[in-house]
Amino acid sequence: MANIAFIGLGVMGGPMAGHLAQAGHRLTVYNRSIGKAKVWAEAYGGEVAISPAKAAEGADIVISCVGNDDDLSQITLGREGAFRSMREGSLFIDHTTVSARIARQLFVEGESRGVHTVDAPVSGGQAGAENGRLSIMCGGSDAAVAAARIVMQAYAARIVHVGGAGAGQTTKMVNQICIGGVLQGLSEALRFAQAADLDLDRVFEAISGGAAQSWQMENRWKTMAQDSFDFGFAIDWMRKDLGLALEEARANGATLPVTAMVDQFYADVQAMGGNRQDTSSLVRRITRV
């Protein structure tokens, strides 16, 4: 069993850290809101640290799941960041969805300190974290990913090593590009079916077993038809992720016309007050006939 520091106990990080504790690992946790860290420790045991650096002292592995590039930079390279106290030979795993640029930067910073790093964004949402069924896409060296796999299996259903430093993050961008496109098609299909006055349950039964089937259809068709969106992965977070993909595309020369359009449609839904609604609320952008 490993000594693990876990930084970031939000809707994703809290359950993931909980699975590690239940697997028998020894955890020290840090969260920007100390109250949330204390609540987690009361539920799962372990220690609460007052800073990322304190959490990382003596840890074999440091795992983070925070908000964005700035948050990740602060908890790793800031004045009280984890990299200040991580020992040589230890492992850093980041589950935040961030830019490939900062993932590569942390790889370089880690190498200079003798710290192994893995960028390991996840897919599966809050339910996947709670049920220990996340899909994880990993960037880093063979040795670092092999070591990370041993602990990540506590909350993952699938772990894939996709390439070197930053490859995990760019693969997550691929994931979000796919989701945006699928949800736009699903939104148009649903509105078309409604305009045609079809029985939506029968339409779903007819098409969900064929080539049109997708996770989004299986899990979002009915709630989209019910205009129910107060759950799931928030539009605010999806726009952050699509922004990362569009930024990376400008750097690597890829063209993402549908992604750019969907991003703007999400901006329209935000203007309608949908910031915290599930990404399937994209359908609100298309007026019901």
Side-chain angles (χ1 to χ4, degrees):
M1 296 295 103
N3 290 317
I4 298 174
F6 204 105
I7 301 170
L9 300 171
V11 296
M12 299 295 289
M16 293 159 73
H19 286 298
L20 290 170
Q22 290 169 342
H25 297 290
R26 296 175 291 274
L27 267 74
T28 301
V29 298
Y30 169 80
N31 195 75
R32 186 162 50 189
S33 168
I34 192 71
K36 186 173 290 187
K38 289 180 178 178
V39 168
W40 185 94
E42 288 173 2
Y44 295 102
E47 301 294 327
V48 174
I50 61 172
S51 71
K54 286 293 184 182
E57 287 181 357
D60 305 308
I61 302 169
V62 176
I63 303 175
S64 62
C65 189
V66 290
N68 54 38
D69 281 34
D70 289 342
D71 295 330
L72 180 58
S73 179
Q74 183 64 32
I75 64 100
T76 53
L77 305 177
R79 186 171 60 182
E80 295 295 325
F83 276 31
R84 303 291 182 183
S85 58
M86 289 183 71
R87 59 179 177 77
E88 186 175 351
S90 59
L91 173 64
F92 176 72
I93 305 168
D94 176 48
H95 290 308
T96 317
T97 297
V98 289
S99 68
R101 174 193 54 78
I102 194 169
R104 298 181 189 114
Q105 178 187 359
L106 291 178
F107 171 77
V108 173
E109 293 283 352
E111 276 204 321
S112 70
R113 293 170 164 82
V115 171
H116 308 290
T117 64
V118 176
D119 54 286
V122 303
S123 180
Q126 182 176 351
E130 291 173 349
N131 296 325
R133 301 293 296 171
L134 293 168
S135 292
I136 307 180
M137 47 220 84
C138 302
S141 70
D142 290 343
V145 173
R149 186 184 298 271
I150 296 171
V151 293
M152 294 189 302
Q153 63 188 3
Y155 44 80
R158 176 177 299 182
I159 302 169
V160 181
H161 185 191
V162 293
Q169 294 298 341
T170 50
T171 300
K172 179 62 182 287
M173 294 172 200
V174 173
N175 187 78
Q176 303 305 73
I177 291 167
C178 290
I179 290 173
V182 168
L183 279 171
Q184 178 60 22
L186 191 60
S187 297
E188 293 181 15
L190 178 65
R191 288 292 189 246
F192 178 85
Q194 289 170 330
D197 199 26
L198 294 172
D199 182 320
L200 298 182
D201 289 337
R202 289 181 179 268
V203 171
F204 173 78
E205 181 182 0
I207 69 175
S208 62
Q213 189 275 341
S214 67
W215 187 96
Q216 298 295 336
M217 179 180 288
E218 290 284 347
N219 292 274
R220 297 292 184 262
W221 174 270
K222 292 184 179 181
T223 52
M224 289 167 73
Q226 296 163 359
D227 295 317
S228 177
F229 309 112
D230 294 327
F231 57 88
F233 190 67
I235 283 179
D236 282 349
W237 292 111
M238 185 60 159
R239 287 212 70 207
K240 182 205 78 170
D241 293 356
L242 294 182
L244 293 171
L246 292 166
E247 179 184 358
E248 189 70 15
R250 286 190 288 270
N252 68 21
T255 55
L256 304 176
V258 173
T259 302
M261 179 188 72
V262 170
D263 180 57
Q264 288 306 302
F265 285 178
Y266 274 130
D268 293 340
V269 181
Q270 284 178 320
M272 297 163 66
N275 301 64
R276 304 304 299 174
Q277 291 182 334
D278 181 69
T279 50
S280 59
S281 62
L282 182 65
V283 73
R284 295 179 62 197
R285 175 60 175 68
I286 306 175
T287 304
R288 184 195 296 263
V289 176

